[in-house]
């Protein structure tokens, strides 16, 4: 019966290994809010007078609504359908966000963080 005692230990190691090597959970307050605050909220945040395109990214319910164009900024779990992800990866100067004129270019790591956050369900805190 010694093998029966090893089974719980083996399962514990498997769970630990899966959590250690899997993609870390992206947290809104820790990982996403600082990016959006620095690069997006000026035009897509709480200030209604400064808001562009009627898009508000600081409130989840607003970010999930389809825009007049029919595009939706954030589609939880579907980064390929999320306009925010398409825009931050765009090579078109007329579409890329944030616009080059703001001099707030996103790093590759920041783009990946946003993409992973949307893929993980785009939870707000």
């Amino acid at each position: 019966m010694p093998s029966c005692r090893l089974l719980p230990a083996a399962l514990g190691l498997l769970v630990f290994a899966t959590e250690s090597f899997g993609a870390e959970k992206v947290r809104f307050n820790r990982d996403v809010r600082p990016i959006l605050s620095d690069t997006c909220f000026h035009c897509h945040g709480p200030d209604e007078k400064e808001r562009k395109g009627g898009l508000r990214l600081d409130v989840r319910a607003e970010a999930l609504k389809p825009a007049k164009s029919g595009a939706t900024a954030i589609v939880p779990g579907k980064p390929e359908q999320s306009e925010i992800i398409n825009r931050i990866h765009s090579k078109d100067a007329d579409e890329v966000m944030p616009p080059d004129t703001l001099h707030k270019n996103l790093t590759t790591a920041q783009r990946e963080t946003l993409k992973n956050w949307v893929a993980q369900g785009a939870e707000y805190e």
Side-chain angles (χ1 to χ4, degrees), residues 26 88-89 107-117:
V26 179
I88 65 173
H89 286 95
T107 66
T108 300
Q110 289 173 319
R111 284 190 197 91
E112 278 303 303
T113 295
L114 293 173
K115 183 178 178 181
N116 290 335
W117 172 66

Side-chain angles (χ1 to χ4, degrees), residues 47-99:
D47 188 347
E48 191 173 344
K49 292 177 184 174
E50 293 293 325
R51 199 173 307 137
K52 306 286 189 252
L55 175 61
R56 187 169 182 179
L57 293 173
D58 62 318
V59 176
R60 187 175 199 267
E62 295 296 316
L64 301 183
K65 288 181 181 177
K68 290 178 185 174
S69 68
T72 303
I74 298 172
V75 181
K78 298 179 180 181
E80 67 284 350
Q81 294 178 18
S82 299
E83 190 65 17
I84 188 174
I85 303 304
N86 295 330
R87 292 292 188 107
I88 65 173
H89 286 95
S90 179
K91 303 295 182 206
D92 184 335
D94 293 331
E95 290 186 6
V96 69
M97 288 291 151

Side-chain angles (χ1 to χ4, degrees), residues 31-59:
D31 306 312
V32 176
R33 185 185 301 270
I35 297 169
L36 296 180
S37 180
D38 185 47
T39 61
C40 305
F41 286 172
H42 177 73
C43 297
H44 303 295
D47 188 347
E48 191 173 344
K49 292 177 184 174
E50 293 293 325
R51 199 173 307 137
K52 306 286 189 252
L55 175 61
R56 187 169 182 179
L57 293 173
D58 62 318
V59 176

